[in-house]
């Protein structure tokens, strides 16, 4: 009896303490944001429930099981920015909190990640209580010591196997909070089974689609439907409504009950259904990951897994032999499962999810031409180092601009370009007069971002800033912000990947690869590095230019009269730079 009384007192004390803790909080509801904020939805403006995955009009055509499962929030996530050191998230779910082979933290829990100023993912570990209202508390958060007090970007991944009824995010009343708009990039659209839905990750952020989303930093739509993901025409028809970056069909684990002929029929019909509306969008087929795993002792299941993979391979081979383009195959060998990869011989554990995600990232990057390399300069990432503007908002501005006012000439670079002048408009303009006189008449658009490094421009090119139009010229002037963090060889490796990326997206455009402008106390290093950039330009088949030499004095140092801070030109410096660039841009 005393133990029961003690427990009741303990629970009452903690409830009162928690209530007092959050008394000074303000609460934000994604359903009341005033604009769509739930990422991972292919039909964000049509869903009846805030956290649904299909619109109501789809119900009549879908398998009832698929429709019911579509109310789960698998793969959905919310982006927001805050400077709060503490957050509380409370919400309610419909359904059992846990399953026999999957914990409550995966079935019904949350995951909160943040991006530091250099684009590195960080995890905010939360304490949680699973009751009628589920509550997650995140405390003592410090994303960066380099830029304290800033609002940083967060990504909140929602439950994998439950439907969210309502959700609120609380931050202390004195802190800033803002939901972020949906990404404008085309999504990776995944149709699959319970494995795609997220079984059996211990946390939503460890589902392979969530890992892939963070690694590609591109929208991923999760159409995983447990045991009901079976390449059904009704789902394929809905997928075909979406202009995706790539379609992924990963349904083989749910097709083991079908005859070989039926599996082939469903595969061909699915591919044809997507290609009828989007003939140029690649389609990636995936083998059953558990097929041919050495050491799994259930020979009956092994036989089924091997059989469906054989049908998939035969069908794929027929398509390739017939000349089908943009269809690809991810093999179980590439996924690399072993006896430690699953919970039950089928569903991945956290290690298996990581294997899945790595395999998918590798093959998708190859298909959509977004390679990476071993150095930081060759790993495309975002950044938030510049406090003058919002980096992602500027990126979204450019994605809108290229569709409404296609640039004739594009300048890719950092603050040296960003704060010169032109459009999209920046918060500063240090050389607007020379820009307006010399560059504006040529149709130059300014894709410079303050504090950008090579890897940040690479991310932007990968994320569609040069897609959908043909420019006359693209000038690349980037790398000075890498000088303190990277060797010359690493900078050149990044520029090589960047030049290749620009060339792939603007194959008929003249690419001007500029040497770095000189900067105070680093003139000699810049001179040596520019020789390496000139050599790279010759190898890459692009044109090297070096307008920065006009900003040096006779001693080979920067002409201080042309600079405001030893790095950024002043109005007179920009005037000299503009005149020099015009000679290249008019040729």
């Amino acid at each position: 009896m005393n133990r029961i009384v003690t427990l009741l007192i303990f629970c009452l004390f903690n409830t009162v303490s928690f209530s007092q803790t959050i008394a000074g909080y303000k609460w934000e509801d994604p359903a009341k944001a005033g604009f769509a904020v739930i990422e991972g939805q292919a039909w964000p403006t049509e869903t009846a429930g805030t956290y649904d995955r299909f619109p109501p009009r789809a119900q009549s055509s879908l398998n009832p099981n698929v429709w019911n499962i579509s109310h789960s929030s698998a793969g959905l996530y919310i982006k927001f920015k805050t400077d709060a050191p503490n957050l509380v998230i409370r919400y309610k779910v419909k359904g059992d909190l846990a399953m026999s082979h999957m914990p409550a933290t995966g079935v019904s829990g949350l995951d909160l990640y943040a991006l530091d100023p250099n684009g590195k993912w960080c995890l905010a570990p939360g304490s949680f209580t699973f009751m009628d209202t589920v509550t997650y508390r995140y405390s003592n958060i410090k994303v960066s010591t380099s830029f304290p007090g800033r609002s940083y970007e967060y990504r909140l991944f929602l439950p994998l196997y439950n439907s969210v009824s309502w959700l609120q995010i609380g931050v202390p009343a004195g802190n800033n909070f803002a939901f972020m708009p949906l990404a404008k990039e085309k999504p990776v659209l995944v149709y699959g089974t319970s494995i795609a839905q997220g079984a059996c990750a211990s946390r939503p952020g460890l589902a392979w689609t969530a890992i892939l989303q963070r690694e590609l930093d591109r929208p991923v739509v999760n159409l995983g439907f447990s045991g009901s993901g079976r390449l059904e025409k009704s789902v394929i028809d809905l997928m075909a409504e979406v202009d995706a970056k790539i379609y992924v069909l990963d349904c083989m684990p749910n097709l083991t009950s079908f005859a070989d002929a039926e599996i082939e029929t469903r595969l061909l019909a699915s591919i044809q259904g997507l290609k009828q509306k989007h003939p140029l969008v690649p389609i990636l087929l995936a083998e059953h990951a558990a097929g041919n795993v050495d050491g799994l002792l259930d020979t009956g299941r092994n036989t089924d897994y091997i059989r469906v993979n054989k049908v998939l391979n035969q069908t794929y081979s027929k398509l390739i032999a017939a000349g089908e383009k943009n269809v690809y195959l991810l093999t179980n060998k590439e996924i690399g499962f072993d006896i430690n990869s699953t919970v039950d011989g089928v569903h991945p554990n956290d290690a298996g999810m990581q294997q899945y995600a790595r395999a998918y990232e590798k093959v998708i990057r190859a298909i959509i031409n977004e390679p990476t390399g071993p150095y930081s300069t060759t790993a495309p990432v975002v950044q938030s180092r510049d406090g003058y503007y919002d980096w992602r908002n500027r990126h979204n501005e450019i994605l809108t601009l290229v569709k409404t006012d296609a640039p004739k000439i594009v300048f890719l670079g950092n603050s040296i370009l960003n704060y010169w002048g032109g459009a999209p408009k920046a918060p500063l303009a240090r050389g607007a007069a020379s820009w307006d006189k010399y560059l504006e008449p040529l149709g130059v658009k300014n894709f410079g971002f303050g504090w950008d490094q090579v890897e940040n421009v690479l991310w932007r090119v990968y994320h569609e800033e040069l897609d959908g139009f043909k420019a006359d010229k693209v000038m690349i002037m980037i790398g000075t912000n890498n000088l303190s963090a990277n060797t010359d060889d690493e900078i050149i490796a990044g520029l090589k990947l960047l030049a290749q990326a620009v060339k792939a997206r603007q194959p008929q455009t003249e690419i001007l690869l500029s040497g770095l402008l000189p900067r105070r106390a680093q003139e000699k290093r810049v001179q040596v590095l520019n020789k390496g950039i000139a050599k790279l330009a010759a190898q890459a088949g692009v044109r090297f230019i070096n307008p920065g030499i006009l900003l040096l004095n006779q001693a080979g140092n920067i002409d201080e009269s042309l600079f405001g801070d030893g790095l950024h030109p002043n109005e007179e410096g920009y005037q000299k730079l503009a005149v020099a660039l015009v000679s290249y841009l008019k040729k």
Side-chain angles (χ1 to χ4, degrees):
M1 186 68 177
N2 288 337
R3 292 179 61 190
I4 296 175
V5 172
T6 302
L7 180 60
L8 288 172
I9 292 172
F10 175 79
C11 291
L12 179 61
F13 173 80
N14 278 279
T15 300
V16 172
S17 176
F18 176 61
S19 298
Q20 291 173 343
T21 300
I22 64 174
Y25 275 50
K26 57 183 178 183
W27 295 92
E28 306 287 348
D29 186 340
K32 300 176 181 177
F35 55 96
V37 300
I38 312 299
E39 290 273 15
Q41 289 176 321
W43 299 269
T45 62
E46 292 190 61
T47 57
T50 303
Y51 306 99
D52 287 349
R53 290 185 286 160
F54 275 138
R57 61 181 170 81
Q59 182 176 2
S60 60
S61 66
L62 290 171
N63 177 322
N65 289 332
V66 170
W67 173 250
N68 290 335
I69 298 169
S70 75
H71 297 303
S72 68
S73 55
L76 303 186
Y77 54 100
I78 302 167
K79 295 188 301 187
F80 60 85
K81 298 186 78 172
T82 185
D83 59 358
N86 305 301
L87 295 93
V88 177
I89 302 173
R90 57 191 184 190
Y91 59 102
K92 189 177 181 63
V93 294
K94 301 175 183 176
D96 294 333
L97 292 174
M99 298 190 296
S100 60
H101 62 331
M102 189 173 175
T105 50
V107 174
S108 307
L110 301 175
D111 249 342
L112 185 63
Y113 291 79
L115 279 165
D116 81 358
N118 299 310
K120 176 185 175 182
W121 286 107
C122 309
L123 174 69
S127 59
F128 43 81
T129 55
F130 286 91
M131 294 190 290
D132 182 58
T133 296
V134 183
T135 304
Y136 270 70
R137 293 172 290 277
Y138 302 92
S139 304
N140 305 311
I141 297 172
K142 184 180 286 187
V143 177
S144 170
T145 56
S146 300
F147 302 96
R150 291 252 189 104
S151 285
Y152 288 102
E153 177 181 333
Y154 287 81
R155 208 152 295 186
L156 181 68
F157 290 90
L158 302 182
L160 296 170
Y161 265 82
N162 250 325
S163 175
V164 176
S165 302
W166 59 266
L167 182 145
Q168 293 178 326
I169 303 171
V171 299
N175 289 107
N176 297 316
F177 181 95
F179 288 111
M180 295 176 61
L182 301 183
K184 292 180 178 290
E185 294 95 343
K186 295 179 181 181
V188 176
L189 186 51
V190 178
Y191 177 23
T193 67
S194 55
I195 297 171
Q197 186 171 341
C200 290
S202 64
R203 300 188 275 110
L206 294 180
W208 72 261
T209 55
I211 299 172
L212 181 68
Q213 192 283 316
R214 293 193 301 277
E215 291 302 314
L216 294 178
D217 201 5
R218 176 180 292 279
V220 173
V221 175
N222 183 330
L223 298 183
F225 299 113
S226 196
S228 298
R230 298 186 173 189
L231 293 182
E232 294 175 332
K233 182 179 183 300
S234 54
V235 177
I236 296 295
D237 289 344
L238 287 162
M239 290 175 65
E241 296 178 3
V242 181
D243 185 16
K245 188 72 174 179
I246 184 172
Y247 298 111
V248 175
L249 300 179
D250 192 346
C251 293
M252 300 315 292
N254 282 355
L255 301 183
T256 56
S257 62
F258 294 117
D260 293 3
E262 177 63 17
I263 296 172
E264 181 175 352
T265 297
R266 291 189 178 219
L267 283 166
L268 293 174
S270 297
I271 294 167
Q272 183 180 12
L274 295 173
K275 281 193 164 290
Q276 280 180 343
K277 289 193 175 181
H278 302 284
L280 300 180
V281 177
I283 298 172
L284 176 59
L285 310 172
E287 287 189 347
H288 194 315
N292 290 316
V293 174
D294 185 36
L296 286 182
L297 301 181
D298 187 331
T299 56
R301 287 202 294 185
N302 289 345
T303 299
D304 285 338
Y305 302 163
I306 293 169
R307 179 179 66 86
V308 296
N309 282 348
K310 183 178 180 181
V311 176
L312 173 60
N313 275 273
Q314 290 173 341
T315 305
Y316 175 71
S317 295
K318 290 178 183 178
L319 288 167
I320 299 304
E324 188 66 76
K325 303 294 184 183
N326 279 341
V327 178
Y328 302 87
L329 179 65
L330 176 64
T331 68
N332 57 27
K333 184 177 180 181
E334 291 170 303
I335 296 171
F337 272 14
D338 57 32
I339 60 172
N340 299 313
S341 301
T342 69
V343 171
D344 52 9
V346 180
H347 300 95
N349 53 28
D350 291 344
M353 287 291 182
Q354 187 69 56
Q355 289 172 296
Y356 236 93
R358 285 173 179 163
Y360 265 108
E361 181 191 359
K362 183 177 180 180
V363 69
I364 288 176
R365 283 196 180 280
I367 293 169
I368 65 176
N369 196 8
E370 293 185 4
T372 62
Y375 308 123
S376 63
T377 56
T378 58
V381 292
V382 301
Q383 59 95 355
S384 58
R385 293 181 289 266
D386 194 318
Y388 283 119
Y389 71 102
D390 186 297
W391 197 93
R392 281 204 195 263
N393 282 354
R394 182 168 175 81
H395 170 65
N396 286 335
E397 276 188 79
I398 288 175
L399 294 188
T400 299
L401 182 148
V402 298
K403 293 178 181 177
T404 58
D405 185 16
K408 293 182 179 179
I409 300 172
V410 172
F411 281 6
L412 290 169
N414 51 40
S415 58
I416 293 171
L417 297 179
N418 186 16
Y419 299 141
W420 187 347
K425 190 176 180 180
L428 302 176
R430 295 173 171 140
S434 58
W435 183 286
D436 293 344
K437 180 178 180 179
Y438 294 101
L439 303 179
E440 192 68 30
L442 298 179
V444 180
K445 291 295 186 289
N446 188 339
F447 290 13
F449 283 51
W451 278 79
D452 256 15
Q453 298 179 351
V454 175
E455 58 268 28
N456 308 129
V457 181
L458 184 63
W459 187 99
R460 295 197 281 116
V461 172
Y462 282 175
H463 286 250
E464 304 171 17
E465 288 191 7
L466 296 182
D467 290 8
F469 69 98
K470 180 188 175 300
D472 294 332
K473 297 179 190 293
V474 175
M475 184 187 77
I476 303 169
M477 183 187 286
I478 190 69
T480 195
N481 289 331
N482 292 92
L483 290 173
S484 62
N486 299 102
T487 66
D488 290 3
D489 287 344
E490 290 170 349
I491 294 171
I492 289 172
L495 289 172
K496 179 179 180 180
L497 211 55
L498 177 57
Q500 291 171 350
V502 173
K503 204 169 187 179
R505 288 152 181 82
Q506 293 282 340
Q508 298 176 321
T509 297
E510 183 181 21
I511 299 170
L512 307 176
L513 181 58
S514 175
L516 274 58
L517 298 190
R519 58 186 297 173
R520 184 186 296 145
Q522 298 206 50
E523 292 92 342
K524 290 183 179 179
R525 181 182 175 188
V526 168
Q527 183 181 17
V528 173
L529 177 57
N530 283 346
K531 290 180 180 179
I533 296 174
K535 184 177 180 181
L536 166 64
Q539 294 170 343
V542 301
R543 186 180 181 189
F544 175 72
I545 62 173
N546 194 17
I549 59 174
L550 297 175
L551 306 180
L552 295 170
N553 59 27
Q554 290 184 345
N557 298 319
I558 65 168
D559 183 339
E560 294 284 354
S561 69
L562 303 177
F563 287 83
D565 55 7
L567 170 64
H568 300 89
N570 56 23
E571 180 64 56
E572 187 179 353
Y574 277 123
Q575 170 82 14
K576 289 179 98 43
L577 199 58
V579 172
L581 288 176
V582 165
S583 65
Y584 299 117
L585 299 177
K586 283 187 173 181
K587 290 181 181 178

